[in-house]
Each structure stands twice: as C-alpha cells, then as structure tokens.
C-alpha cells in the first residue's frame, strides 16, 4: 500500500519568500491530516540554518509523521559550466539535508528551458549533473527522483524536459539504482500531452508520485504557452485544484502503478483554497488507494 504525504503548495510564498508562515505552523496544520508524511521543500527560509534540519525532523516525528521526500529545484541546463557546478554543489547539500531530515527521496529537475539551448545540449548538461550527484546519493541512502515538471515557483522559464519525448530520453540515459521518476500527471496536461501515455512509458521507473489536479481559470493551454516564459513563477491563469475534480483519471493511474508493483509515497499538491480542500483530497486519494491496493 502506498503512503500519503502532503506538500505546502498553498504556502510557498509565506514559507520561502515573505516568512509570514513558520515551518512549525505548517507542521501543525499538516499533522492533523490523515496522512503518514510531510514532503519538504529545500527553499523554506528556515532551512538556511543547518541547525533547524534535525529540529524539524524531531518536530515532525513528535507529531507521529515522517519526512519521506525533499523537493528541490536544481537548474542544470545553464550554458555556463561554473553555474552548473554551483547547482551540483547545491544539490549535494540538499542530499545531505534529505538524509538528516530522515528522507529517502530527493528531487532533481533538468533545469530551465532557455531559448538558446538545443535539446541535445540540455539533456547532456542535465545528465552530467545528475550523474555527478549520484555517488553521494548512494552513500547517503537517497534516491534522486526526477519529475516531469512544469515550472518551479521561482523560475523564469519552464522546465527544459517538460515535453514527454525529452523527459523520457533524459530518464533513459541514466541507469542507476538510486535514480527514479517522480510522476506528476497534471504537469503532462500542461505540456499538451496525455498523462497516461507518459505513465505507460515510465511506470517501471516511477518510485514516487505527486497527486495533483490543475485547471485553467480562463483561456486555453495555448494561451498558457504564450505566457509561461519570461516571468517568474506560474502564469496567473493557472491554478491547482482539488484532487479528483480535474482531468486526471486516478483509477487508470493507480491501476498502472499497481500493475508495476508501486508501493512508494504519493505526495499531495493541493490546498490552495484552504486546509478543508486538502482534507477532501486526502479522503479522495485514500478511498481510491483502498480500491487499488486492498489490504486483504
């Protein structure tokens, strides 16, 4: 049976930029949910203090939860080698952070889709950087998970490996026991592609999942395409929605994951309209999981 975690999608600005929410406040809120874990983000302001790493692990443990996953956003596709090397060092630090937090899964990304970058250049840059991080991940007992991502909250350009063919090519070039996929079905819609097609192509590499349902509050995916580069964060027309009320077919998704023996962590990206919304998403997912992974 997979386990559920939650990610503070609704509070990223408060936790990472303005400091108007403390991490302990998020721990208190999330611990009331019927979940087993809290997914962490490396960019929380308070994580800049190394002394807080063990402190927060202990706080979460006192609530009867754990921190299974650390969400990081390395930018490995910058054309400057010195820049990429700094990103590798950041990722290595996040691997150490993940270990101290008690996590087993640490996210990596390809990087930003800069207009001047060719597909082959971007893939090779990302592969080289990820492979440079894998020996440390192995030593720390951490699995690096690459997500079919849309765009980090604080990036200017969308994910380099956003498109399915690019993502699958990148994943296919790295064969290591401490490397796998964090599958996010909603992000595939934003690439104008079918999330089930992507899942069928990479399901044997999926070790964790983001449960999400996104929607456009106005316009079309094509309108979104025109807005997604050149400004920080997400386009304003894009919203995270309640799980089970969007376009994703969770029965089909869970059927395929069950078929390949998936029993990892599913982290919920939701709650932008409040904790009650997040609670409904938890209920939806637990009901679906009980159907596809029955206890007997």
């Amino acid at each position: 049976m997979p386990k559920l975690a939650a990610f503070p999608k609704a509070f990223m600005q408060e936790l990472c930029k303005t400091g108007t929410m403390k991490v302990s406040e998020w721990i208190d809120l999330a611990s009331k949910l019927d979940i087993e874990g809290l997914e962490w983000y490396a960019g929380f302001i308070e994580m800049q203090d190394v002394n807080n790493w063990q402190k927060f692990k202990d706080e979460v443990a006192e609530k009867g939860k754990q921190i299974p996953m650390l969400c990081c956003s390395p930018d490995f596709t910058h054309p400057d080698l010195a820049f990429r090397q700094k990103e590798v060092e950041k990722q290595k630090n996040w691997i150490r952070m993940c270990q101290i937090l008690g996590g087993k899964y640490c996210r990596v990304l390809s990087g930003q889709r800069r207009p001047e970058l060719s597909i082959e250049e971007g893939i090779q840059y990302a592969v080289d950087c990820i492979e440079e991080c894998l020996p440390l991940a192995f030593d720390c007992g951490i699995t690096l998970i690459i997500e079919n991502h849309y765009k980090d909250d604080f990036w200017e350009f969308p994910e380099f490996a956003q498109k399915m063919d690019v993502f699958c090519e990148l994943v296919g070039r790295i064969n290591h026991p401490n490397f796998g996929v964090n599958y996010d079905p909603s992000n595939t819609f934003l690439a104008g592609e079918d999330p089930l097609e992507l899942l069928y192509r990479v399901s044997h590499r999926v070790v964790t999942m983001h449960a999400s349902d996104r929607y456009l509050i106005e316009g079309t995916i094509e309108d979104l395409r025109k807005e997604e580069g050149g400004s920080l964060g997400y386009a304003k027309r894009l919203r995270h929605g309640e799980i089970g009320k969007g376009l994703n077919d969770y029965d089909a998704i869970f059927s395929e994951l069950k078929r390949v023996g998936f029993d990892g962590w599913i982290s919920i990206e939701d709650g932008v309209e409040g904790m009650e919304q997040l609670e409904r998403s938890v209920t939806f997912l637990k009901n679906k999981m009980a159907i596809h992974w029955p206890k007997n």
Side-chain angles (χ1 to χ4, degrees):
M1 169 77 76
K3 299 182 181 68
L4 275 183
F7 184 79
K9 192 65 188 177
F11 308 113
M12 291 297 282
Q13 290 293 326
E14 293 87 342
L15 289 165
C16 302
K17 287 293 181 183
T18 65
T20 50
M21 173 181 268
K22 298 300 182 184
V23 171
S24 294
E25 294 177 63
W26 162 243
I27 294 172
D28 287 339
L29 286 172
S31 296
K32 295 179 175 67
L33 298 167
D34 186 15
I35 57 176
E36 291 80 22
L38 281 64
E39 181 181 4
W40 222 245
Y41 186 67
F44 293 159
I45 293 171
E46 291 172 89
M47 293 304 289
Q48 294 174 20
D49 183 349
V50 176
N51 295 319
N52 281 334
W53 298 1
Q54 183 67 45
K55 170 177 171 283
F56 289 138
K57 177 190 177 182
D58 293 342
E59 280 189 34
V60 171
E62 287 169 7
K63 300 287 187 179
K65 312 293 184 186
Q66 58 181 298
I67 301 172
M69 302 161 63
L70 178 62
C71 186
C72 311
S73 299
D75 187 357
F76 291 147
T77 55
H78 197 284
D80 180 60
L81 176 60
F83 183 98
R84 296 198 303 276
Q85 199 57 48
K86 287 180 181 177
E87 293 297 296
V88 167
E89 292 308 312
K90 285 183 189 177
Q91 185 68 46
K92 289 180 178 179
N93 190 52
W94 293 330
I95 290 169
R96 298 182 187 99
M97 179 189 292
C98 186
Q99 182 185 38
I100 290 175
L101 290 169
K104 294 296 182 184
Y105 302 98
C106 187
R107 190 178 78 172
V108 293
L109 296 174
S110 58
Q112 298 188 57
R113 193 170 68 229
R114 295 175 171 84
E116 70 273 18
L117 204 60
S118 74
I119 297 296
E120 180 55 34
E121 282 175 326
I123 290 176
Q124 197 58 54
Y125 289 160
V127 168
D128 289 346
C129 291
I130 292 169
E131 288 185 335
E132 193 171 340
C133 296
L134 279 167
L136 178 62
F138 177 81
D139 290 343
C140 293
I142 303 295
T143 297
L144 300 183
I145 48 174
I146 189 165
E147 182 177 343
N148 59 301
H149 202 234
Y150 166 60
K151 188 180 185 184
D152 183 78
D153 290 79
F154 307 107
W155 278 6
E156 181 178 0
F157 298 105
E159 181 74 21
F160 173 80
Q162 182 187 21
K163 290 291 188 177
M164 188 184 313
D165 286 345
V166 179
F167 182 77
C168 291
E169 175 67 23
L170 196 166
V171 170
R173 291 196 192 184
I174 303 176
N175 183 20
H176 192 283
N178 290 73
F179 178 77
V181 168
N182 180 68
Y183 172 67
D184 187 319
S186 296
N187 287 338
T188 319
F189 283 123
L190 299 177
E193 297 174 333
D194 180 357
L196 291 175
E197 181 184 350
L198 174 63
L199 179 59
Y200 297 146
R201 289 178 65 173
V202 300
S203 58
H204 62 293
R205 304 291 299 273
V206 173
V207 292
T208 59
M209 175 181 170
H210 274 165
S212 63
D213 254 338
R214 291 215 184 95
Y215 66 96
L216 294 169
I217 57 173
E218 60 182 8
T220 65
I221 290 289
E222 187 55 38
D223 294 326
L224 180 67
R225 290 283 83 79
K226 297 172 184 176
E227 298 175 1
E228 64 185 7
S231 60
L232 292 177
Y234 287 7
K236 290 184 171 57
R237 67 177 73 245
L238 181 66
R239 291 290 184 275
H240 274 260
E242 185 175 324
I243 313 300
K245 293 195 172 180
L247 295 173
N248 283 314
D249 183 345
Y250 274 89
D251 284 309
I253 291 168
F254 284 174
S255 291
E256 175 62 12
L257 290 176
K258 175 68 183 301
R259 185 188 72 80
V260 296
F262 175 84
D263 64 352
W265 284 88
I266 299 173
S267 182
I268 307 169
E269 285 194 318
D270 182 21
V272 293
E273 296 176 10
M275 293 302 293
E276 290 182 0
Q277 182 190 53
L278 190 49
E279 288 174 5
R280 293 193 297 271
S281 291
V282 169
T283 299
F284 171 84
L285 287 166
K286 289 190 81 74
N287 288 339
K288 288 294 183 186
M289 288 161 60
I291 293 170
H292 293 276
W293 287 273
K295 291 184 178 179
N296 297 318

